[in-house]
Amino acid sequence: MRMSVVDVGSNTVRLVVADAEGGVPLPVHTAKWRLRLSEQVPPGGDVPDEAVRRLCQAVTAAARTAERWGAATPLAFATAVVRSAPNCREVLRTVRAETGVPICTLPGEVEAELTFLGARRWMGWRSGPLAMLDIGGGSLEVAFGRGRLPDFVASLPLGANRLTHEFFHGQDPPSPDSIKALRRKVRHQLRDVSARIRWEGPRTAVATSRTFQQLSRLCGSAPGRHGPFVERELRCADLGEAVTRLAALPAAQRAALPGISAPRATQSLAGALVGHTTMKLTGLKSVTICPWAIREGVLLRHIEDGPAWWAEVSRDVEATGSAGSGTPGAVPLRIAAPAR
């Protein structure tokens, strides 16, 4: 069985085509279309018409690419940049009408659950009680669990792009006072979540997302061209030094650093601050960089739970509205009680 998934993120639209024989999604083709939606959508603002038009073009191209590779209609979802927009519902309707792809959004907590599943499958059962961190453009997802799915998840408005707009707008590089203000917000938002992670005492901690991958490369990990099976670790102490390094440079000079791409250079400092503060508050001295995340989690859920699971997620937003989260097409997440 050949499947595909399309992930509309804050910077790119990504396609993964995978074979699912044996219950493992093995990628056979990947592609991406750079839209930089986060640069066009201010926090709390609508997705503009031109961005919607380009999004439709990218999703159409992704669906055609998937078809050429022998996959059915992609499992398509948009993350925080669309989910948080006041015109989210209209954007989803337009993309569906123009492309024929039943795109939806997922609550942040469900994104965390799916990302945790991808990380659990990659790391294996030997990793034991597992903590997961994921920094996106609009939100930070945190999860902890002992089994296949997490016991505890949280989605917080601490994305790298969101905080860059909120605290560093018009500052390049930002002032020390702005950096301190951002850290204060992260500490405040993470107070309860970090206490829970410390109490759980995870045996293993992983980090996913391009933000963490690039920060890990900046701190000395192997470049991506060495492949996904090279072990990559990010130490809290090294990330703290990276924060100091990034804070001293304007975005154009950050883009020349190892691992920091030009499109993400502006938000790299905010991402590093969120990552470092989160690791300090949760007591995580290091995290393993995990190449599997939400896209693999979607494929795994579809393989393991069958097509009915995704049909529930992507049902017609006109008919369903929200599902307890204010998000069209959303499925509520079941969070288990503490296991201790």
Side-chain angles (χ1 to χ4, degrees), residues 34-71:
R34 195 175 300 284
L35 299 187
R36 300 186 184 180
L37 288 178
S38 61
E39 297 179 7
Q40 305 167 61
V41 184
D46 284 341
V47 181
D49 291 343
E50 176 60 21
V52 176
R53 184 186 68 80
R54 294 182 61 222
L55 175 57
C56 289
Q57 292 175 342
V59 173
T60 297
R64 290 174 177 170
T65 302
E67 184 179 13
R68 286 198 301 271
W69 282 85

Side-chain angles (χ1 to χ4, degrees), residues 178-264:
S178 296
I179 292 173
K180 289 178 182 178
L182 189 154
R183 276 203 188 268
R184 279 196 301 270
K185 175 165 184 173
V186 177
R187 286 197 298 266
H188 175 73
Q189 292 274 337
L190 273 170
R191 182 181 56 190
D192 295 335
V193 172
S194 60
R196 174 67 184 268
I197 297 296
R198 290 195 308 270
W199 180 74
E200 294 285 4
R203 175 179 175 181
T204 306
V206 299
T208 69
S209 74
R210 290 293 295 166
T211 296
F212 270 119
Q213 290 172 3
Q214 292 195 2
L215 292 172
S216 175
R217 176 71 185 104
L218 176 63
C219 292
S221 291
R225 66 177 180 274
H226 289 185
F229 298 107
V230 174
E231 185 171 346
R232 296 174 174 88
E233 183 183 40
L234 177 60
R235 296 175 62 248
C236 184
D238 293 339
L239 185 53
E241 294 177 5
V243 167
T244 302
R245 189 177 180 188
L246 292 167
L249 299 174
Q253 293 183 31
R254 293 181 208 151
L257 298 174
I260 305 299
S261 64
R264 293 177 180 270

Side-chain angles (χ1 to χ4, degrees), residues 18-243:
D19 284 333
E21 300 300 329
V24 179
L26 299 175
V28 295
H29 181 71
T30 62
K32 66 180 178 180
W33 294 263
R34 195 175 300 284
L35 299 187
R36 300 186 184 180
L37 288 178
S38 61
E39 297 179 7
Q40 305 167 61
V41 184
D46 284 341
V47 181
D49 291 343
E50 176 60 21
V52 176
R53 184 186 68 80
R54 294 182 61 222
L55 175 57
C56 289
Q57 292 175 342
V59 173
T60 297
R64 290 174 177 170
T65 302
E67 184 179 13
R68 286 198 301 271
W69 282 85
T73 301
L75 311 175
F77 63 94
T79 52
V81 66
V82 173
R83 182 178 69 230
S84 302
N87 65 337
C88 170
R89 193 181 303 274
E90 291 76 16
V91 172
L92 297 180
R93 285 200 211 106
T94 300
V95 174
R96 184 168 188 166
E98 295 291 327
T99 68
V101 176
I103 190 171
C104 66
T105 58
L106 305 173
E109 292 80 5
V110 174
E111 289 187 12
E113 176 192 275
L114 293 167
T115 304
F116 181 92
L117 174 60
R120 168 62 79 189
R121 286 289 185 265
W122 181 268
M123 298 299 293
W125 294 110
R126 61 182 290 212
S127 58
L130 180 69
M132 184 278 300
L133 309 177
D134 181 283
I135 301 174
S139 60
L140 164 71
E141 274 70 57
V142 181
F144 170 85
R146 294 171 172 79
R148 168 179 175 257
L149 296 177
D151 303 318
F152 163 77
V153 298
S155 180
L156 303 168
L158 298 175
N161 182 68
R162 179 194 295 266
L163 295 182
T164 298
H165 276 280
E166 182 176 349
F167 290 94
F168 299 160
H169 185 68
Q171 302 179 46
D172 190 27
S175 68
D177 287 344
S178 296
I179 292 173
K180 289 178 182 178
L182 189 154
R183 276 203 188 268
R184 279 196 301 270
K185 175 165 184 173
V186 177
R187 286 197 298 266
H188 175 73
Q189 292 274 337
L190 273 170
R191 182 181 56 190
D192 295 335
V193 172
S194 60
R196 174 67 184 268
I197 297 296
R198 290 195 308 270
W199 180 74
E200 294 285 4
R203 175 179 175 181
T204 306
V206 299
T208 69
S209 74
R210 290 293 295 166
T211 296
F212 270 119
Q213 290 172 3
Q214 292 195 2
L215 292 172
S216 175
R217 176 71 185 104
L218 176 63
C219 292
S221 291
R225 66 177 180 274
H226 289 185
F229 298 107
V230 174
E231 185 171 346
R232 296 174 174 88
E233 183 183 40
L234 177 60
R235 296 175 62 248
C236 184
D238 293 339
L239 185 53
E241 294 177 5
V243 167

